[in-house]
Amino acid sequence: MKAIISFLFLISGFYGMAQMDCILGVGGRDDETIIKVFELTEEQQENLKNWSAELKIRNDIFKDKAAYLMKQNEESPPEVLKEVSKKYQSYIDSMANNVRMIDMRLLGTFNEKQYQRYVKLCSQLSLRPIYVNRSVDEN
């Protein structure tokens, strides 16, 4: 019985991974890679730089909140920790939403060739590309 449950859990994990969004990772360690792979224009590079800085500021707020939450509840009883974990997860989710939002901004500036390269790379990784309506310019 244990083996069956473990197997189902493993399969659901693989299924869940296949359904994940294909993020670029703006603001991470790979900004230079993004520039090279997608052959970003000067304007796109400037946007990438600015949006990376914005993402860092946005997510640093959540990181600070999460660290404070953990420090404040270091020795809390299990029932309190359960509630703390929900709050902590909301911070993690907000950070992930920020990453997706900034990636969508950059994807919105991609020309057709850049966007098709992104879609192809996502497909090779079995990840779901983020759809962006590029007819609306945020700039």
Side-chain angles (χ1 to χ4, degrees):
M1 182 69 168
K2 236 181 189 181
I4 293 172
I5 292 173
S6 297
F7 179 74
L8 290 174
F9 180 74
L10 184 64
I11 294 297
S12 68
F14 286 127
Y15 179 76
M17 287 189 88
Q19 300 302 312
M20 289 176 44
D21 283 341
C22 184
I23 62 167
L24 293 170
V26 171
R29 296 173 285 194
D30 298 325
D31 283 356
E32 286 301 315
T33 303
I34 293 170
I35 291 169
K36 289 176 186 169
V37 168
F38 296 104
E39 300 172 353
L40 299 185
T41 65
E42 290 296 321
E43 182 180 357
Q44 289 172 321
Q45 289 180 42
E46 186 65 27
N47 286 338
L48 175 63
K49 179 183 166 190
N50 293 335
W51 292 333
S52 292
E54 178 185 343
L55 181 63
K56 180 177 178 358
I57 291 167
R58 285 176 175 268
N59 281 352
D60 281 351
I61 292 168
F62 288 112
K63 286 177 188 174
D64 292 345
K65 285 182 177 183
Y68 178 73
L69 183 67
M70 296 307 290
K71 184 167 180 64
Q72 190 178 33
N73 293 285
E74 284 177 336
E75 298 187 24
S76 297
E79 51 277 352
V80 172
L81 289 176
K82 188 175 181 180
E83 292 304 312
V84 168
S85 71
K86 290 177 187 175
K87 185 81 167 170
Y88 187 85
Q89 186 60 49
S90 75
Y91 295 150
I92 301 299
D93 292 344
S94 294
M95 290 168 47
N97 287 336
N98 286 339
V99 168
R100 189 175 193 284
M101 175 189 68
I102 299 296
D103 279 2
M104 285 180 67
R105 282 186 190 172
L106 182 60
L107 288 168
T109 69
F110 278 15
N111 62 37
E112 191 59 31
K113 180 181 172 187
Q114 291 168 321
Y115 190 75
Q116 289 309 314
R117 181 175 294 154
Y118 162 75
V119 170
K120 182 178 178 182
L121 289 170
C122 292
S123 175
Q124 290 173 347
L125 296 170
S126 298
L127 298 172
R128 181 181 53 225
I130 298 171
Y131 171 76
V132 177
N133 183 355
R134 293 187 319 275
S135 65
V136 177
D137 187 7
E138 190 175 292
N139 296 327

